[in-house]
Amino acid sequence: MHPFLEHRERVLTGSWTPLDGARVTSSTLPEPWLSALERLGHDLQVRQHGLRIEHIEWAAMYDPDGGAVWLESAVTVEGSDPGGLGGNGYGAQVDANVDEALVSMADLVQLQVAEEHTAWPWGDEGGFMSPSLLDGVAVWIDRTGSSTPIGTLAEPH
């Protein structure tokens, strides 16, 4: 086993469904991470393009050597078996504020959703919206450069 993987520990488990939203089963993470997950869960309700997301299983992994946390997701879309836990992208420091944690989680979840052939979130003008930290606020940026705070998405206009 790779040395990095040996030291990682699971610090959060939870899930998301359209009916229940984000639910945390267990966590040893600071409160900003839980608030960030709730905001992310709000945005999962809207702007899916392609197969609808039916369920996401979450596990956050902590690297004590680097102090970073990665949110891994197992995404299930309509008509498919659950995907396996995964998450390619970047983590955030365990002591990150809510917006820093949220941008990391949004990036990681978005990539796992895309692995299941669903584009999320979808912009008003089409195309993916990308998570970014803008003036300290976690936002989605669409292809026109417009930004929307993560956690406030509504259906496209």
Side-chain angles (χ1 to χ4, degrees):
M1 177 179 271
H2 189 278
F4 172 73
L5 298 177
E6 286 177 12
H7 294 104
R8 292 184 346 154
E9 61 184 270
R10 189 170 289 196
V11 291
L12 177 140
T13 58
S15 63
W16 177 88
T17 64
L19 183 60
D20 295 329
R23 297 282 184 239
V24 174
T25 310
S26 68
S27 176
T28 58
L29 288 172
E31 176 56 35
W33 286 86
L34 306 181
S35 296
L37 197 60
E38 187 173 317
R39 284 172 54 188
L40 185 65
H42 171 275
D43 285 2
L44 280 161
Q45 299 286 359
V46 296
R47 295 183 177 256
Q48 297 174 25
H49 182 74
L51 299 172
R52 300 295 297 173
I53 303 167
E54 293 181 341
H55 185 264
I56 300 175
E57 203 62 40
W58 282 317
M61 305 304 290
Y62 172 64
D63 169 22
D65 295 327
V69 175
W70 283 264
L71 183 66
E72 296 185 352
S73 302
V75 178
T76 305
V77 295
E78 62 189 354
S80 298
D81 291 332
L85 274 175
N88 282 326
Y90 64 94
Q93 293 298 299
V94 73
D95 61 354
N97 68 38
V98 66
D99 288 284
E100 293 164 343
L102 183 51
V103 168
S104 171
M105 288 193 287
D107 178 61
L108 291 162
V109 171
Q110 182 182 49
L111 291 169
Q112 286 305 112
V113 168
E115 289 286 326
E116 297 301 322
H117 309 292
T118 295
W120 169 83
W122 199 245
D124 286 342
E125 305 298 322
F128 279 105
M129 299 174 80
S130 301
S132 185
L133 199 58
L134 185 63
D135 296 325
V137 177
V139 297
W140 294 112
I141 307 268
D142 68 18
R143 68 183 198 180
T144 69
S146 296
S147 65
T148 304
I150 297 177
T152 67
L153 279 181
E155 285 296 344
H157 301 111

